[in-house]
C-alpha cells in the first residue's frame, strides 16, 4: 500500500515532502489522474494530496499592487475572479479556454505550471504578466521568474522537497501614471471550441505611456512553439517606446517568430505553428492595446 | 427547376413525439452496461497485444504468467482450435498465429482474480519477435512485386467470386454502358484525386465481454451490435454448436458500426472454459483505438468525369483504393458500397468504377456507420462542384440537371421510381437561404455548400413474436439489437398502436439469442426497416385474431372492428381487449404469433452481370435520398473552420417516430462534422499516435452548430414497415461534403485530404495563393 498524506497546513505538507521527496503531489488531478489511469505515469509509492490545504488556494492583492495567486487556485476561480479580469486579463482569457467547465472546476494553476507542458494555456499569459513563482521547502523559500522555472517539456525547476505555493504578478503600471493604462490578452489557435490543446498561442501585456501615444512597457510570450512557453524579447524590444500602431504591432509579431523552435507532431506541423503563432500574437497585441486604452 | 407538387402517402401510424423507453434509466445512471456486470467468482481478463505492425513470433513463453499470483488461465493460439474466421474472407485467427499483422493483434489473454494481477501477468509473458517490413502504403501494397501480407491468401475462404490478388482481398467493379465512347465524345473532362485518413467509430462505451462457461455451454454478455453473428463467430472459432452459445446484450453504449462483426467474445469464453470461472474483459480507451477491427477505411480516390456541352454528365471513370488494414473484415462489402457512392445520385450512362481492398499493416477497417459513405460523398460532391464550375453552372443548377429522376436507371440497371434527390436539394437550399445567422466576424470568409447523396435499405430476414397475455398486455420478442439509437426500443410503440393498447403495456424481449428469433443486428440501417416490419407483421396477426374474436362476440364483420384505447369497438358496441385475451387463453388458443416475414424483393438489375466482386450491395436497393447544406466561416490566417449552421434534409419515407428520426440525423451530422474537421488517426510506421480522446478529437457540444432537420414528404412509400425507410446511417454521410463545398465557396479552394484540419486548410490556401 502506498503512503497517502492529506495535509491541512503548509508546514505539514512540506514535512511530508522532506520525508518523501518522491511523493506525487496532486492538486486538482485533472492531468495526473487520467495519466495514471491510462498507464502513462507510474503509480507512485507516496502521495501528497492538496485538497485539504485551503491556504494554498486563493487570489489576493499584494501590498504594493499586483496579485498573489495560490498554487491550488482553480482555473475556474481565475476565470471568474473580479481582480484577474481587469488586472490580468490575459490570464482570465486563458483560464476560460482550458478544457471544459468540469476540467476548470478541478484543475489548478500550480498543476498547470508544474506539468511543464509547452502547450499549457496559463504559461504564456503568466510570462506576459511578469509572473514569479514561490517555491517552498522545509528548509526555506525561494522565488524565481517564471521563465527560469520552465525548463523543458515536462521539466520545471522544482527541487526535491519543494512545493510550488504561489504565483505573484507585479502591478502593471506605467511609470508615473496615476491611472495605469495596461491591457493584456491571450489568443489560442486550435481546431475545436473546447477541450483543445493549443496548436499555438500568444499572450501580450502592453502598458501605454501617459497620453497613450507610445508603448511604455510590454511583455510578449508564446506557447506550443518551443520546448517551453517562452518570452519573445525581440518583439518586446520593437514595441517598447514605439507607437501602438498596426505597422509596429505587425513587426513585433513577425519578430517574435524568431524565438520559436517548433516541432512537427501529431497535432500540427512546425511550419503551421510558426505561421499561426504570429497571427495569434498580432491579435493578442491588438486586443491588449485596445484594453489598455 | 420544374418541380411538381406531390401528395404524400399518409402514414397509418401517427408521427407523434414519443419518449425513449430507455431514456430514464440511462439519464439517471441506473442503466447497467456490460462492463458493470459482475458474477460470483468472476475473473478479470487482460490481453497481450503485438505492439508492432508486422512481425514473426520467434518464441512465446507464458510459463511465468501461468505461475503468477491469482492467475487462473493464460491462452494463446495453441490453446484454441486451428480455425480461421472473418466476415467476408476467413483470413484471421483468435490469437497471433506465427505472424502479427497489426499493432493491436492479440498474442495472449490472461484471466486472474484481479485486474491488477491480470495486468502483472501480461507483463510476465515473454514474446520474442523478428520484425518484418510493414506494408504502410496501400498503393505500394498493390504493386506486382509487393510482399504479400498473407502468403496463404489463396487458401482463405471468401464469400464471393474470386476477384482478388495477393494484397487486394477484393477487386470490385461497377460497369455500365460504354465508358470509352462516353469519354470520346466528351465536351470536357475533369479529373481529381482525394484521400481520407483513418477514423474510428468511437462509441463512448468500450468493448466489454462477460463470459460464463458451465456444463459445455456458454452464456456471453457482450457489447455487440450483432448478437447472432457474434454467436456464429464463437461457435465457429471454438468448435461449438450454436445451440451451446447464448449471447446477451444489456444496454449498448453506442456502436456506430464498431461493434459489428465478432470481436472478443470467443477470447472471454475460452478463458472462462479454461479457468472454470466467469471472466470479464473490458478494453481500455487506448486499446479501443487499436484492437477492434472496425476503423473507417482510409480511401484514395481518383474521379475522371466527362461532361457534355449541355452541362450533363456523360461518363465517369473512378479508381478507389480502400486501405483495409491487416484483415478483410467487411472491406469487400465496403468496396461495393464505395463504387456505388462514386456514382452518387447522378444520371450517368457510361461508367467504369473500380475499387481495390488492400491489406496493409494497420488496425483493420470495417463497417463503420455508413461504410465509405462520408469519405466518398465528401470527395464526389467536391468533384461535382468542380464539374459545375467547368460547365459554367452554379452548383444547384448543375445538380438539378444531373440528379436522377423518375425512370432513370442506376448503375446496374435498377429502375428508379420517383427519386427525391432533387426535392432534398431544393428544400435544403430554401431553408438554408431563408435562415439568417450571425454576421460574419471581420476577416473571416463565409460560404455555403451543398452535398447530395443516396443510400440503400437492405432487405434482410428478421423475426419477431407478439404474445398477448390474459390481461390484455403484450410481449414483443424481437431479434432486433439496439445500438443505443433507440431503433429497437421504439418497436413496442408500433406494436401498441396496432393492438390498440398503451405502450406501457407492451414488454420487449430482445438482445438475447437464447430467447429471440434471428436478426442480422444493428447494421446497415436495417433495424426499423426489417425488424420493424417483423414486429408489425406479428402484431398484425394478433390484431387480426382480436378483431375476429370481437366480431364474433359483437355480431359484426371483423373489418368493422377498431382496436383502440384498450377496447375493440364496432359502432356503438365495445368490448375490453383484456376480455378477449382472457377468453382466448381460457379456450386454449392464446393470442400469439411468431413471424419472419419475407423481405421485400430487390428490384431487378438487368445490368448487374457486367460488374464483378459484388455479393451484398450490387446496388442500393430501395434507395433513400438526402441533402446537407452547411454555412461555414473560415479564418484564412489560421485555417480554422467554424460551422455556423447545418440543414439536413432527408427522405426517410413515412415517419414512424419523429424525435427518433431527428435524433438520428442530428447525431449523424455531428459525427460527420467530426469527420470533416477534427477526427483522424495519425500514424507513425503503422502505429497510431492518437489513442486518447484529447488527441483523437471528436466534435464537442461547443463545436456543433444549430442543425435544422427537414424530413421531406416522400414521393413513394418506403419499403419498410408502414412506408418507412432506414435512417441510422444516412445522416452521417453528407455533412462533411457540404462543409468542404462551403469552405471552397468561402475561399475558392477545395480540400483534397480529409479531415480538413486547420493546418491543411491553411496550407491549401497558402498553396493556392502561391500558384496564383
Amino acid at each position: 500500500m502506498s503512503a497517502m498524506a492529506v495535509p491541512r497546513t503548509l508546514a505539514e505538507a512540506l514535512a511530508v515532502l522532506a520525508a518523501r521527496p518522491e511523493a506525487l503531489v496532486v492538486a486538482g488531478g485533472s492531468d495526473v489522474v487520467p495519466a495514471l489511469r491510462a498507464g502513462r505515469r507510474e503509480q507512485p509509492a507516496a502521495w501528497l494530496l492538496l485538497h485539504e490545504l485551503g491556504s494554498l488556494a486563493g487570489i489576493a492583492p499584494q501590498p504594493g499592487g499586483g496579485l498573489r495567486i495560490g498554487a491550488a487556485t482553480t482555473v475556474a476561480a481565475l476565470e471568474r475572479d473580479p481582480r484577474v479580469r481587469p488586472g490580468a486579463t490575459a490570464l482570465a482569457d486563458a483560464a476560460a479556454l482550458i478544457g471544459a467547465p468540469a476540467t476548470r472546476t478541478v484543475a489548478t494553476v500550480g498543476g498547470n505550471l508544474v506539468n511543464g507542458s509547452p502547450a499549457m494555456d496559463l504559461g504564456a499569459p503568466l510570462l506576459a504578466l511578469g509572473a514569479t513563482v514561490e517555491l517552498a521547502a522545509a528548509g526555506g523559500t525561494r522565488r524565481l521568474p517564471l521563465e527560469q522555472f520552465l525548463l523543458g517539456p515536462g521539466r520545471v525547476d522544482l527541487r526535491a522537497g519543494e512545493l510550488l505555493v504561489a504565483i505573484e504578478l507585479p502591478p502593471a503600471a506605467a511609470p508615473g501614471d496615476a491611472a495605469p493604462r495596461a491591457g493584456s490578452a491571450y489568443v489560442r489557435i486550435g481546431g475545436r471550441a473546447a477541450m483543445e490543446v493549443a496548436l499555438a498561442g500568444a499572450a501580450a501585456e502592453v502598458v501605454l505611456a501617459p497620453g497613450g501615444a507610445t508603448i511604455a512597457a510590454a511583455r510578449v510570450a508564446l506557447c506550443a512553439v518551443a520546448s517551453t512557453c517562452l518570452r519573445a524579447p525581440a518583439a518586446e524590444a520593437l514595441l517598447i517606446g514605439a507607437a501602438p500602431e498596426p505597422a509596429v504591432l505587425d513587426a513585433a509579431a513577425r519578430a517574435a517568430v524568431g524565438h520559436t523552435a517548433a516541432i512537427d507532431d501529431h497535432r500540427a506541423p512546425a511550419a503551421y505553428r510558426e505561421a499561426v503563432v504570429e497571427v495569434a500574437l498580432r491579435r493578442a497585441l491588438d486586443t491588449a492595446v485596445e484594453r489598455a486604452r | 427547376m420544374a418541380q411538381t407538387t406531390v401528395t404524400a402517402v399518409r402514414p397509418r401510424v401517427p408521427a407523434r413525439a414519443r419518449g425513449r423507453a430507455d431514456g430514464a434509466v440511462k439519464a439517471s445512471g441506473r442503466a447497467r452496461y456490460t462492463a458493470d456486470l459482475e458474477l460470483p467468482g468472476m475473473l478479470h481478463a487482460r490481453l497481450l497485444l503485438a505492439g508492432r505492425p508486422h512481425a514473426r513470433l520467434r518464441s512465446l513463453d507464458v510459463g511465468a504468467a501461468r505461475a503468477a499470483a491469482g492467475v487462473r488461465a493464460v491462452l494463446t493460439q495453441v490453446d484454441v482450435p486451428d480455425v480461421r474466421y472473418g466476415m467476408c474472407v476467413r483470413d484471421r485467427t483468435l490469437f497471433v498465429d506465427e505472424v502479427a499483422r497489426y499493432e493491436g493483434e492479440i498474442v495472449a489473454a490472461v484471466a486472474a482474480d484481479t485486474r491488477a494481477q491480470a495486468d502483472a501477468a501480461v507483463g510476465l509473458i515473454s514474446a520474442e519477435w523478428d520484425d518484418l517490413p510493414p506494408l504502410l502504403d496501400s498503393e505500394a501494397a498493390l504493386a506486382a512485386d509487393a510482399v504479400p501480407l498473407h502468403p496463404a491468401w489463396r487458401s482463405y475462404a471468401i464469400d464471393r467470386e474470386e476477384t482478388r490478388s495477393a494484397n487486394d482481398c477484393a477487386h470490385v467493379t461497377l460497369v455500365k454502358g460504354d465508358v470509352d465512347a462516353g469519354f470520346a465524345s466528351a465536351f470536357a473532362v475533369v479529373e481529381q484525386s482525394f484521400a481520407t485518413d483513418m477514423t474510428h467509430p468511437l462509441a463512448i462505451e468500450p468493448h466489454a465481454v462477460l463470459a460464463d462457461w458451465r456444463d459445455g455451454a456458454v452464456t456471453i454478455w457482450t457489447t455487440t451490435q450483432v448478437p447472432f453473428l457474434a454467436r456464429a463467430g464463437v461457435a465457429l472459432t471454438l468448435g461449438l454448436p450454436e445451440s451451446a452459445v447464448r449471447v446477451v446484450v444489456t444496454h449498448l453504449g453506442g456502436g456506430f458500426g464498431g461493434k459489428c462483426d465478432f470481436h472478443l467474445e470467443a477470447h472471454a469464453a475460452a478463458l472462462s472454459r479454461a479457468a472454470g470461472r466467469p471472466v470479464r474483459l473490458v478494453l481500455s480507451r487506448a486499446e479501443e483505438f487499436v484492437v477492434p477491427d472496425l476503423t473507417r477505411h482510409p480511401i484514395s480516390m481518383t474521379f475522371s468525369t466527362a461532361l457534355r456541352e449541355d452541362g450533363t454528365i456523360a461518363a465517369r471513370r473512378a479508381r478507389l483504393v480502400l486501405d483495409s488494414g491487416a484483415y478483410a473484415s467487411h472491406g469487400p462489402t465496403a468496396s461495393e458500397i464505395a463504387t456505388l457512392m462514386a456514382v452518387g445520385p447522378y444520371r450517368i450512362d457510361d461508367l467504369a468504377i473500380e475499387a481495390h481492398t488492400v491489406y496493409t499493416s494497420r488496425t483493420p477497417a470495417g463497417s463503420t456507420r455508413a461504410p465509405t459513405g462520408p469519405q466518398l460523398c465528401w470527395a464526389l460532391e467536391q468533384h461535382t462542384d468542380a464539374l459545375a464550375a467547368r460547365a459554367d453552372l452554379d452548383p444547384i443548377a448543375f445538380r438539378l440537371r444531373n440528379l436522377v429522376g423518375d425512370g432513370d436507371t442506376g448503375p446496374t440497371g435498377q429502375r428508379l421510381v420517383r427519386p427525391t434527390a432533387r426535392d432534398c436539394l431544393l428544400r435544403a437550399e430554401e431553408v438554408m437561404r431563408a435562415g439568417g445567422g450571425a454576421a460574419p466576424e471581420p476577416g473571416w470568409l463565409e460560404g455555403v455548400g451543398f452535398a447530395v447523396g443516396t443510400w440503400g435499405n437492405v432487405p434482410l430476414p428478421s423475426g419477431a413474436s407478439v404474445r398477448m397475455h390474459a390481461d390484455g398486455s403484450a410481449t414483443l420478442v424481437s431479434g432486433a439489437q439496439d445500438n443505443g439509437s433507440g431503433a429497437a426500443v421504439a418497436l413496442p410503440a408500433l406494436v401498441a398502436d396496432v393492438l390498440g393498447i398503451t405502450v406501457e403495456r407492451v414488454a420487449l424481449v430482445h438482445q438475447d439469442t437464447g430467447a429471440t428469433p434471428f436478426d442480422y443486428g444493428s447494421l446497415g440501417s436495417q433495424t426499423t426497416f426489417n425488424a420493424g416490419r417483423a414486429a408489425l407483421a406479428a402484431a398484425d396477426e394478433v390484431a387480426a385474431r382480436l378483431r375476429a374474436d370481437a366480431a364474433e362476440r359483437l355480431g359484426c364483420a371483423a373489418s368493422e372492428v377498431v382496436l383502440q384505447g384498450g377496447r375493440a369497438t364496432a359502432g356503438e358496441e365495445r368490448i375490453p381487449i383484456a376480455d378477449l385475451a382472457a377468453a382466448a387463453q381460457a379456450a386454449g388458443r392464446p393470442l400469439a404469433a411468431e413471424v419472419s416475414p419475407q423481405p421485400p424483393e430487390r428490384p431487378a438489375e438487368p445490368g448487374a452481370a457486367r460488374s464483378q466482386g459484388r455479393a451484398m450491395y450490387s446496388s442500393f436497393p430501395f434507395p433513400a435520398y438526402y441533402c446537407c447544406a452547411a454555412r461555414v466561416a473560415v479564418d484564412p490566417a489560421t485555417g480554422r473552420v467554424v460551422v455556423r449552421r447545418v440543414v439536413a434534409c432527408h427522405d426517410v419515407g413515412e415517419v414512424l417516430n419523429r424525435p427518433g428520426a431527428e435524433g438520428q440525423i442530428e447525431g449523424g451530422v455531428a459525427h460527420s462534422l467530426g469527420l470533416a474537421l477534427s477526427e483522424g488517426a495519425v500514424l507513425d510506421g503503422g502505429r497510431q499516435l492518437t489513442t486518447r480522446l484529447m488527441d483523437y478529437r471528436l466534435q464537442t457540444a461547443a463545436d456543433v452548430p444549430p442543425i435544422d432537420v427537414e424530413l421531406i414528404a416522400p414521393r413513394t412509400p418506403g419499403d419498410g414497415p408502414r412506408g418507412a425507410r432506414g435512417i441510422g446511417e444516412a445522416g452521417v454521410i453528407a455533412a462533411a461534403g457540404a462543409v468542404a463545398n462551403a469552405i471552397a465557396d468561402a475561399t475558392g479552394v477545395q480540400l483534397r485530404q480529409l479531415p480538413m484540419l486547420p493546418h491543411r486548410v491553411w496550407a491549401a490556401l497558402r498553396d493556392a495563393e502561391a500558384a496564383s
Side-chain angles (χ1 to χ4, degrees):
Chain A
M1 217 28 215
S2 59
M4 199 167 278
V6 189
R8 290 172 173 277
T9 67
L10 181 58
E12 264 181 79
L14 297 179
V16 170
L17 272 183
R20 302 293 299 266
E22 78 284 6
L24 177 64
V25 180
V26 180
S30 59
D31 276 307
V32 80
V33 172
L36 285 164
R37 286 181 58 104
R40 293 192 307 276
R41 184 188 266 274
E42 294 274 315
Q43 292 286 337
W47 303 74
L48 180 63
L49 309 182
L50 299 182
H51 58 273
E52 295 284 344
L53 192 50
S55 65
L56 221 55
I59 301 166
Q62 300 225 74
L67 294 173
R68 179 182 165 88
I69 301 168
T73 303
T74 66
V75 171
L78 291 180
E79 181 188 357
R80 292 193 283 256
D81 189 274
R83 289 151 299 195
V84 173
R85 179 61 67 183
T89 319
L91 192 56
D93 289 347
L97 288 171
I98 289 178
T103 333
R104 301 199 280 271
T105 301
V106 295
T108 65
V109 57
N112 201 240
L113 290 181
V114 170
N115 249 339
S117 164
M120 69 170 96
D121 280 307
L122 298 182
L126 287 171
L127 287 169
L129 294 165
T132 55
V133 292
E134 184 179 312
L135 308 168
T141 295
R142 64 187 177 115
R143 282 186 171 70
L144 275 182
L146 178 59
E147 43 268 60
Q148 291 175 27
F149 181 67
L150 304 175
L151 299 179
R155 290 195 306 123
V156 293
D157 182 10
L158 198 61
R159 297 174 190 164
E162 273 186 341
L163 186 68
L164 171 61
V165 293
I167 296 98
E168 291 180 350
L169 302 181
D177 194 346
R181 298 156 179 264
S184 68
Y186 173 66
V187 171
R188 180 177 79 187
I189 306 297
R192 286 197 297 193
M195 296 305 289
E196 186 58 300
V197 177
L199 300 175
E205 184 186 55
V206 171
V207 182
L208 297 181
T214 57
I215 298 171
R219 286 191 215 93
V220 163
L222 313 177
C223 95
V225 288
S227 62
T228 65
C229 294
L230 77 169
R231 291 271 293 270
E236 294 170 2
L238 290 175
L239 292 167
I240 296 166
E245 289 168 356
V248 170
L249 307 186
D250 286 347
R254 210 172 307 122
V257 181
H259 293 282
T260 65
I263 55 167
D264 293 329
D265 70 6
H266 60 274
R267 292 201 177 92
Y272 176 75
R273 292 177 187 280
E274 295 188 347
V276 298
V277 80
E278 179 182 340
V279 176
L281 178 54
R282 183 64 183 78
R283 291 175 183 175
L285 284 167
D286 245 352
T287 305
V289 167
E290 191 180 303
R291 285 171 174 167
R293 282 194 169 123
Chain B
M1 295 281 289
Q3 288 295 305
T4 53
T5 54
V6 168
T7 308
V9 183
R10 295 270 41 102
R12 254 184 68 191
V13 178
R16 59 172 186 253
R18 292 192 175 101
R20 279 278 293 260
D22 56 348
V25 290
K26 287 181 175 173
S28 64
R30 282 180 287 125
R32 304 239 300 160
Y33 294 85
T34 305
D36 299 325
L37 302 180
E38 291 187 15
L39 288 175
M42 184 182 84
L43 306 177
H44 299 263
R46 297 293 290 151
L47 305 173
L48 174 67
L49 306 181
R52 53 195 69 223
H54 192 197
R56 182 174 299 279
L57 196 51
R58 188 175 347 122
S59 71
L60 181 61
D61 182 353
V62 299
R66 283 203 170 116
V71 172
R72 308 280 178 161
V74 181
L75 299 180
T76 70
Q77 183 61 24
V78 301
D79 303 305
V80 294
D82 183 17
V83 171
R84 290 191 178 273
Y85 72 94
M87 208 47 82
C88 295
V89 183
R90 290 195 177 174
D91 56 3
R92 60 185 309 189
T93 50
L94 291 177
F95 297 94
V96 169
D97 179 19
E98 297 181 9
V99 174
R101 298 184 177 85
Y102 74 99
E103 60 171 320
E105 194 147 6
I106 299 167
V107 180
V110 175
D113 291 346
T114 68
R115 186 170 162 124
Q117 286 171 331
D119 270 325
V122 165
L124 294 174
I125 298 173
S126 159
E128 293 182 307
W129 299 93
D130 292 319
D131 283 317
L132 299 168
L135 286 173
L136 301 177
D137 181 310
S138 53
E139 200 65 63
L142 278 177
D145 59 349
V147 175
L149 189 60
H150 293 268
W153 62 273
R154 282 191 182 84
S155 69
Y156 296 163
I158 187 167
D159 69 342
R160 63 195 66 211
E161 66 171 312
E162 282 288 347
T163 64
R164 59 186 162 173
S165 54
N167 285 326
D168 184 359
C169 63
H171 180 224
V172 175
T173 67
L174 191 56
V175 177
K176 182 187 187 187
D178 181 344
V179 80
D180 290 332
F183 273 85
S185 60
F187 163 72
V189 173
V190 177
E191 181 169 317
Q192 293 183 293
S193 295
F194 301 86
T196 68
D197 291 354
M198 171 198 284
T199 62
H200 290 275
L202 217 135
I204 294 302
E205 180 200 34
H207 285 76
V209 185
L210 169 59
D212 186 17
W213 186 297
R214 37 188 93 221
D215 306 324
V218 64
T219 302
I220 304 172
W221 291 264
T222 179
T223 55
T224 186
Q225 292 176 242
V226 289
F228 286 93
L229 305 188
R231 182 181 72 174
V234 173
L236 172 70
T237 56
L238 298 184
L240 298 167
E242 292 194 357
S243 58
V245 183
R246 179 180 168 202
V247 172
V248 185
V249 184
T250 68
H251 293 287
L252 197 61
F256 311 106
K259 293 166 182 167
C260 288
D261 210 334
F262 145 69
H263 293 278
L264 303 162
E265 290 85 5
H267 299 83
L271 283 171
S272 177
R273 175 170 58 180
R277 302 263 291 267
V279 173
R280 192 178 71 192
L281 170 65
V282 182
L283 291 191
S284 71
R285 179 57 62 192
E287 288 169 336
E288 195 62 19
F289 281 98
V290 299
V291 177
D293 54 337
L294 286 172
T295 73
R296 187 181 284 285
H297 288 87
I299 310 178
S300 307
M301 299 162 262
T302 299
F303 302 102
S304 182
T305 304
L307 289 171
R308 301 188 189 94
E309 195 163 6
D310 64 357
T312 57
I313 300 172
R316 172 167 299 151
R317 292 192 181 96
R319 180 171 180 275
L320 316 172
V321 178
L322 281 74
D323 182 343
S324 185
Y327 297 99
S329 184
H330 302 86
T333 303
S335 282
E336 293 178 59
I337 297 171
T339 56
L340 294 167
M341 291 299 296
V343 180
Y346 298 104
R347 186 193 323 108
I348 310 178
D349 295 332
D350 301 315
L351 291 168
I353 315 286
E354 63 167 343
H356 298 285
T357 321
V358 185
Y359 285 134
T360 63
S361 308
R362 51 173 70 161
T363 296
S367 72
T368 300
R369 190 181 193 181
T372 78
Q375 302 100 302
L376 266 294
C377 184
W378 164 80
L380 181 69
E381 285 300 88
Q382 290 198 80
H383 184 58
T384 302
D385 271 15
L387 295 173
R390 185 67 186 80
D392 209 16
L393 289 168
D394 81 62
I396 304 286
F398 179 81
R399 283 179 174 78
L400 291 174
R401 202 166 289 197
N402 285 285
L403 286 168
V404 287
D406 190 34
D408 285 339
T409 56
T412 55
Q414 164 192 11
R415 195 170 172 78
L416 302 173
V417 182
R418 284 180 281 169
T420 47
R422 292 177 203 173
D423 307 60
C424 291
L425 173 61
L426 288 169
R427 183 74 185 137
E429 187 199 22
E430 180 189 354
V431 175
M432 177 53 84
R433 303 281 183 216
E441 300 251 344
W444 289 59
L445 307 171
E446 292 236 356
V448 173
F450 298 85
V452 192
T454 179
W455 193 253
N457 284 272
V458 188
L460 294 170
S462 178
S465 73
V466 169
R467 185 177 309 127
M468 184 166 268
H469 311 298
D471 64 352
S473 66
T475 296
L476 165 65
V477 181
S478 168
Q481 166 64 42
D482 198 310
N483 63 15
S485 70
V489 297
L491 296 178
L494 302 181
V495 171
D497 273 321
V498 172
L499 298 179
I501 59 179
T502 60
V503 67
E504 293 75 20
R505 293 176 69 78
V506 181
L508 174 65
V509 173
H510 72 325
Q511 304 185 167
D512 181 346
T513 62
T516 80
F518 176 82
D519 180 275
Y520 273 93
S522 173
L523 52 75
S525 303
Q526 73 101 22
T527 299
T528 299
F529 192 77
N530 293 311
R533 193 178 50 247
L536 281 173
D540 281 340
E541 275 195 30
V542 172
R545 287 272 314 279
L546 281 171
R547 282 196 205 90
D549 288 4
E552 202 176 306
R553 301 263 289 265
L554 298 172
C556 65
S559 60
E560 293 172 58
V561 177
V562 175
L563 304 174
Q564 203 166 31
R567 286 183 292 270
T569 306
E572 297 294 297
E573 304 289 326
R574 59 186 50 177
I575 181 167
I577 285 174
D579 289 3
L580 296 170
Q585 179 172 299
R589 343 176 2 259
L591 295 165
E594 173 158 352
V595 299
S596 188
Q598 279 301 303
E601 206 172 311
R602 295 175 72 121
E605 299 174 47
R610 297 191 61 196
S611 303
Q612 70 170 32
R614 311 189 78 88
M616 178 97 172
Y617 279 89
S618 56
S619 65
F620 282 139
F622 316 113
Y625 298 90
Y626 47 84
C627 176
C628 192
R631 178 193 301 282
V632 307
V634 182
D635 177 0
T638 66
R640 170 96 159 99
V641 175
V642 174
V643 181
R644 302 274 202 186
R645 185 165 173 239
V646 170
V647 177
C649 191
H650 285 254
D651 171 4
V652 301
E654 297 301 343
V655 180
L656 299 181
N657 175 346
R658 184 171 291 274
E662 290 178 347
Q664 281 296 293
I665 295 168
E666 282 181 18
V669 167
H671 189 164
S672 194
L673 294 178
L675 299 177
L677 297 174
S678 58
E679 292 187 47
V682 180
L683 286 94
D684 179 22
R687 300 192 62 177
Q688 294 179 56
L689 302 177
T690 43
T691 58
R692 307 160 55 192
L693 287 173
M694 275 308 284
D695 292 327
Y696 184 89
R697 292 136 31 88
L698 302 171
Q699 294 283 286
T700 72
D703 294 295
V704 177
I707 300 166
D708 287 340
V709 176
E710 294 284 322
L711 302 178
I712 70 151
R715 288 172 174 272
T716 57
D719 294 272
R722 305 288 186 260
R725 297 190 169 93
I727 190 55
E729 295 173 293
V732 79
I733 298 172
V739 168
N741 283 340
I743 292 171
D745 184 47
T747 65
V749 176
Q750 289 191 328
L751 277 299
R752 301 303 182 89
Q753 184 94 24
L754 193 66
M756 300 176 285
L757 299 169
H759 68 81
R760 288 179 174 161
V761 175
W762 170 82
L765 295 179
R766 183 197 55 185
D767 293 349
E769 195 176 306
S772 70

